[in-house]
Structures are given as structure tokens and as C-alpha cells.
């Protein structure tokens, strides 16, 4: 039999856990304020030009045709201006926007 105090503890535990989980999913990627001074120097030789990195702060090379893009938090990068990141989810798979894609020319 569950006593009053232990069920209260259970509630606390599950509330705490859901808070932790929610925080985790929201702030797993914590970018903070963009300080360009903290960026490493711009990469050299970006045939596709620059784009902003994962926190929309530092310059990184844009991805070219057939290079991977997207992914969790967009970790795989963004396509060059004239390209789009196409994802091809497997049949039955939900599109979450976190999939890995391939840069292709816009149609
Ligand atoms: C990209 O991949 C497609 C399909 O594999 C291929 O036909 C095409 O030549 C590739 N393009 C470049 C620029 O590598």
C-alpha cells in the first residue's frame, strides 16, 4: 500500500523528471548570444559560399550538391544559396525536420 508521503514523493519525482526531459530537449543545443569574436576564423575555400553555422552565428561553408545537410539541429549544415536540402524519409517514417538530407538544385 502506498502511503500519503511516498505517493507525494512519486508525484514530485515524475514532475521533476518531466521538467528535466523537457529542458533537455529544448536546451540540448544551447547557443547563447552570438559573439562573432568567439568564432574560429572563417573557413577558406568555400566553393558554395558561406552560411551561418548551427547557432546562426559563425560562418561555415555552405554544402554543395550531393553533400549531406540538415540532421539533428541542422548539425550537418546548410546548402548553398541555389540549393535545397531534400530529405527522403523512409516510408512510414514521420518527418521531424531532424532528418539528414542531401543538397540538390532547386527545381
Ligand atoms: C549527385 O548525385 C547524383 C545521383 O547520384 C549524380 O547523378 C550527380 O552527378 C551528382 N552530382 C554531383 C555534382 O556530384
Amino acid at each position: 500500500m502506498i502511503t500519503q508521503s511516498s505517493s507525494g514523493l512519486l508525484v514530485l519525482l515524475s514532475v521533476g523528471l518531466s521538467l528535466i526531459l523537457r529542458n533537455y530537449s529544448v536546451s540540448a543545443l544551447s547557443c547563447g548570444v552570438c559573439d562573432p569574436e568567439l568564432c574560429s576564423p572563417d573557413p577558406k575555400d568555400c566553393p558554395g559560399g558561406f552560411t551561418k553555422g548551427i547557432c546562426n552565428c559563425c560562418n561555415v561553408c555552405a554544402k554543395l550538391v550531393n553533400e549531406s545537410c540538415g540532421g539533428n539541429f541542422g548539425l550537418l549544415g546548410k546548402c548553398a544559396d541555389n540549393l535545397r536540402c531534400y530529405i527522403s524519409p523512409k516510408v512510414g517514417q514521420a518527418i521531424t525536420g531532424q532528418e539528414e538530407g542531401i543538397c540538390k538544385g532547386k527545381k
Side-chain angles (χ1 to χ4, degrees):
M1 173 177 163
I2 298 181
T3 65
Q4 191 69 34
S5 66
S6 68
S7 67
L9 189 63
L10 269 181
V11 168
L12 267 184
L13 273 179
S14 52
V15 167
L17 193 63
S18 59
L19 278 181
I20 289 167
L21 288 178
R22 199 172 55 190
N23 259 339
Y24 181 74
S25 58
V26 170
S27 66
L29 180 72
S30 77
C31 285
V33 179
C34 174
D35 181 355
E37 306 231 319
L38 297 180
C39 294
S40 28
D42 285 354
K44 304 225 184 311
D45 291 335
C46 288
F50 293 113
T51 183
K52 293 294 181 188
I54 183 159
C55 287
N56 241 339
C57 181
C58 303
N59 281 332
V60 297
C61 285
K63 297 299 192 87
L64 302 173
V65 170
N66 290 350
E67 291 194 300
S68 57
C69 49
N72 275 320
F73 304 111
L75 271 172
L76 294 170
K78 293 182 201 140
C79 304
D81 268 350
N82 55 332
L83 304 175
R84 256 201 58 182
C85 187
Y86 289 93
I87 56 174
S88 39
K90 299 188 178 68
V91 175
Q93 191 181 18
I95 296 180
T96 62
Q98 308 284 297
E99 288 85 359
E100 174 174 349
I102 304 285
C103 295
K104 301 272 181 204
K106 290 174 182 163
K107 304 236 166 76

